[in-house]
């Protein structure tokens, strides 16, 4: 995988990452649960997963930290 090439995840792993996103979104304030914030959180999750982070708690924590103030 190059820097410009998106990561390739199998469908089962994509479903898992989606669950991670859903869990993370539930942990931020309702007013920040916008499409832009969710997209930003999803990007954080995918980037971390592409770097090899496999711990769901770590993925959730990083996404929550990124989304806690909403998207810029």
């Amino acid at each position: 995988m190059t820097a410009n090439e998106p990561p390739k995840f199998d469908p089962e792993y994509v479903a898992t990452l989606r669950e991670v996103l859903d869990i993370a979104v539930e942990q931020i304030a309702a007013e920040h649960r916008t499409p832009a914030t969710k997209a930003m959180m999803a990007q954080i999750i995918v980037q971390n997963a592409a770097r090899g982070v496999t711990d769901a708690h770590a993925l959730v924590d990083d996404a929550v930290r990124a989304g806690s103030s909403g998207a810029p």
Side-chain angles (χ1 to χ4, degrees), residues 14-71:
V14 171
T16 299
L17 295 179
R18 176 63 191 205
E19 288 179 34
V20 166
L21 175 61
D22 291 343
I23 292 165
V25 168
E26 288 296 317
Q27 294 183 32
I28 64 170
E31 66 265 18
H32 295 308
R33 295 179 192 169
T34 64
T37 301
K38 290 179 187 179
M40 178 180 67
M41 293 170 74
Q43 182 177 9
I44 295 294
I45 291 167
V46 170
Q47 287 173 343
N48 287 342
R51 285 194 343 249
V53 177
T54 58
D55 180 72
H57 294 291
L59 292 171
V60 168
D61 289 347
D62 286 347
V64 169
R65 199 171 307 114
S68 66
S69 298

